[in-house]
Amino acid sequence: LIGERTYFTADGQVFTDDSFRANFDPVRFVAERRKMHGHTELWSSKDGVDWVDPLVHRVEEIDHPVICLNSAESSNYGSYLFRIIPKLLAVRHLVGTVPVLVMARSEWQRRLLAMFDVPERNIINHKVTVAYKLKRAIIPALRNSNAYIDQETRALFRNKAVALGRGDFPNKIFIS
């Protein structure tokens, strides 16, 4: 895992949490990242794929299973609600038992995760200055890749609000 949400496999494949979209092109994705962020080189080695990134200061290996909830704009509250929390639906049977790699440096991020049953002891705080070598990664896809929240995500938020005793709810939620 490099940056916010870029994964490289040992055989040289590149993907993100949004790769399932029909128009995802890994070659274009890598070229855009190089241009935008100054990434200088990408190459396949015998042991896997290495990415030279000026932001990365070290590599950490995680040799146990881990759920990766990373996505773009992880420090934005609306993006956290729209991109990260909905991924918990795909791994709900593992939450609480398998550690979660996710950007959670702020108290509000840890509170949101706890609200959705991810205990703080299970959070590995993802840092964009670290490249992670993951031996066994569970990577849920982005549920809502367009401007609309799907039925399951709406039900997740509605059920959580009911459980927290918040009363009546509007038909629309606006996220900036």
Side-chain angles (χ1 to χ4, degrees):
L1 168 64
I2 300 287
E4 284 188 314
R5 64 181 183 143
T6 306
Y7 299 90
F8 297 99
T9 64
D11 63 354
Q13 300 297 309
V14 179
F15 68 97
T16 73
D17 64 337
D18 201 18
S19 295
F20 66 87
R21 288 185 306 140
N23 64 348
F24 181 78
D25 177 1
V27 173
R28 191 178 81 223
F29 177 82
V30 169
E32 287 171 359
R33 292 305 168 280
R34 280 186 183 154
K35 183 178 177 183
M36 211 165 43
H37 300 294
H39 300 141
T40 56
E41 192 61 56
L42 174 68
W43 73 93
S44 293
S45 68
K46 187 176 129 188
D47 299 325
V49 174
D50 297 305
W51 170 293
V52 177
D53 182 337
L55 296 177
V56 172
H57 301 295
R58 70 178 193 279
V59 175
E60 285 184 19
E61 289 192 37
I62 300 177
D63 62 358
H64 53 77
V66 64
I67 298 168
C68 298
L69 296 181
N70 306 296
S71 195
E73 303 175 326
S74 299
S75 59
N76 177 289
Y77 187 81
S79 186
Y80 221 80
L81 290 175
F82 189 79
R83 296 173 184 268
I84 293 173
I85 296 299
K87 290 181 182 186
L88 291 169
L89 287 165
V91 293
R92 63 182 159 261
H93 61 288
L94 299 172
V95 172
T97 59
V98 176
V100 174
L101 178 62
V102 63
M103 186 178 286
R105 64 178 178 238
S106 297
E107 180 63 29
W108 67 263
Q109 292 165 317
R110 292 186 297 278
R111 277 197 326 262
L112 263 179
L113 290 165
M115 185 184 302
F116 289 92
D117 305 319
V118 178
E120 191 161 350
R121 71 180 182 281
N122 280 24
I123 296 171
I124 300 170
N125 186 24
H126 169 240
K127 299 173 187 81
V128 294
T129 57
V130 175
Y132 296 91
K133 270 189 146 174
L134 308 172
K135 187 166 183 159
R136 295 185 60 210
I138 303 157
I139 306 168
L142 187 65
R143 289 191 66 87
N144 304 292
S145 64
N146 54 38
Y148 303 100
I149 296 176
D150 65 11
Q151 293 286 349
E152 293 84 6
T153 301
R154 288 199 303 259
L156 173 72
F157 288 127
R158 186 178 307 110
N159 293 340
K160 186 54 66 176
V162 168
L164 294 173
R166 299 285 193 230
D168 294 329
F169 309 102
N171 290 326
K172 296 180 183 177
I173 298 175
F174 295 94
I175 300 174
S176 68

